[in-house]
């Protein structure tokens, strides 16, 4: 009986010691964690220290937790990189914009071939006008519209579909200058519309012949202020007037 009593006391002692050890370990861990925290004075935030210490200015306890700043990135490190999806997206947009800017649409080649056609007609050169008509038709077919907005593209294609037809007629009728001039009059309106839409690198002029088409009149585009009429050529080369600068 005495042995059983001693055994029970020993067991209770061991359990009590184990619980006390666990409490001690827990307190030690908590104390260690708390020892790394800083607290500030409610009245003087610039005074910091461990929780419970006294403020050196007013004597109040330090009770306000101090928010620790995050470690700043070192941008000088060679292996530094950001995994920010927004930054990646922004970079992609900039690249797209640069690509569009590099392929900005221009009608300069269209205008060059048109002017060659106009100059040939002022010299009554039906063959030269036909060659320029073929070159212009080819330019219309090879010009890309990738850099245009949807509205620009629709308007451009509406104009060019008509202009291509007249350029083709001029190119296919080298021996019929009157027929070429009829189509040139309508083509000039299309070229004028394209210039209003996109502009050109060179200064151009819109000229007007009041007599062409049975007195209904017609415009053409020229690179010089000097009047040289493509509708009558040598018959009435200086007939017409400068209407506007483009």
């Amino acid at each position: 009986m005495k042995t059983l009593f001693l055994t029970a006391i020993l067991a209770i002692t061991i359990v009590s010691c184990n619980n006390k050890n666990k409490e001690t370990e827990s307190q030690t861990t908590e104390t260690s964690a708390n020892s790394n925290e800083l607290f500030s004075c409610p009245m003087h935030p610039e005074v910091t220290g461990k929780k419970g210490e006294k403020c050196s200015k007013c004597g109040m306890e330090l009770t306000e937790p101090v928010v620790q700043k995050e470690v700043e990135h070192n941008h000088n490190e060679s292996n530094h990189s950001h995994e920010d999806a927004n930054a990646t997206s922004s970079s992609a947009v900039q690249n797209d914009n640069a690509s569009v800017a590099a392929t900005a649409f221009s009608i300069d080649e269209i205008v060059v071939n048109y002017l060659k056609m106009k100059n040939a007609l002022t010299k009554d050169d039906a063959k030269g006008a036909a060659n320029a008509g073929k070159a212009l038709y080819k330019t219309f077919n090879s010009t890309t519209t990738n850099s245009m907005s949807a509205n620009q593209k629709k308007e451009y294609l509406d104009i060019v579909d008509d202009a291509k037809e007249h350029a083709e007629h001029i190119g296919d009728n080298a021996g019929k200058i009157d027929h070429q001039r009829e189509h040139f009059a309508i083509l000039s309106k299309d070229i004028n519309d394209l210039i209003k839409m996109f502009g050109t690198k060179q200064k151009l002029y819109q000229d007007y012949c009041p007599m062409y088409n049975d007195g209904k009149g017609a415009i053409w585009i020229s690179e010089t202020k000097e009047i040289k009429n493509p509708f009558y050529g040598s018959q009435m080369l200086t007939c017409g007037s400068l209407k506007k600068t483009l």
Side-chain angles (χ1 to χ4, degrees), residues 60-125:
M60 293 182 66
E61 287 189 6
L62 307 182
T63 58
E64 298 298 320
V66 176
V67 178
Q68 300 294 318
K69 293 183 179 180
E70 294 182 2
V71 178
E72 296 182 356
H73 289 295
N74 184 354
H75 288 265
N76 294 323
E77 292 181 2
S78 60
N79 62 346
H80 177 80
S81 63
H82 287 283
E83 299 296 332
D84 191 341
N86 290 332
T88 302
S89 176
S90 176
S91 176
V93 170
Q94 290 176 353
N95 289 337
D96 287 344
N97 289 339
S99 177
V100 170
T103 58
F105 183 76
S106 170
I107 62 167
D108 289 345
E109 189 176 354
I110 292 172
V111 171
V112 166
N113 287 314
Y114 168 84
L115 293 176
K116 287 180 181 179
M117 182 189 302
K118 182 266 299 181
N119 290 331
L121 292 175
T122 63
K123 300 173 184 177
D124 302 321
D125 182 5

Side-chain angles (χ1 to χ4, degrees), residues 145-175:
T145 58
N146 296 337
S147 60
M148 294 184 194
S149 67
N151 289 336
Q152 279 183 323
K153 185 175 182 178
K154 182 181 183 303
E155 188 174 354
Y156 170 80
L157 292 177
D158 286 343
I159 296 171
V160 167
D161 283 345
D162 184 69
K164 282 169 62 177
E165 179 182 347
H166 301 298
E168 187 176 24
H169 273 277
I170 294 169
D172 291 342
N173 288 278

Side-chain angles (χ1 to χ4, degrees), residues 135-152:
L136 180 57
Y137 183 82
K138 184 178 179 180
T139 300
F140 281 136
N141 285 332
S142 63
T143 301
T144 60
T145 58
N146 296 337
S147 60
M148 294 184 194
S149 67
N151 289 336
Q152 279 183 323

Side-chain angles (χ1 to χ4, degrees), residues 26-86:
S26 176
Q27 290 175 356
T28 302
T29 302
E30 185 177 351
T31 301
S32 176
N34 290 338
S35 64
N36 294 325
E37 294 184 48
L38 288 178
F39 292 83
S40 65
C41 173
M43 297 296 295
H44 303 92
E46 68 276 13
V47 179
T48 62
K50 294 180 181 180
K51 186 175 183 180
E53 291 182 347
K54 303 295 183 180
C55 174
S56 59
K57 293 185 177 181
C58 65
M60 293 182 66
E61 287 189 6
L62 307 182
T63 58
E64 298 298 320
V66 176
V67 178
Q68 300 294 318
K69 293 183 179 180
E70 294 182 2
V71 178
E72 296 182 356
H73 289 295
N74 184 354
H75 288 265
N76 294 323
E77 292 181 2
S78 60
N79 62 346
H80 177 80
S81 63
H82 287 283
E83 299 296 332
D84 191 341
N86 290 332

Side-chain angles (χ1 to χ4, degrees), residues 198-209:
F198 300 102
T200 63
K201 293 180 180 178
Q202 65 184 124
K203 182 176 287 187
L204 297 171
Y205 305 92
Q206 185 192 96
D207 296 332
Y208 178 69
C209 174

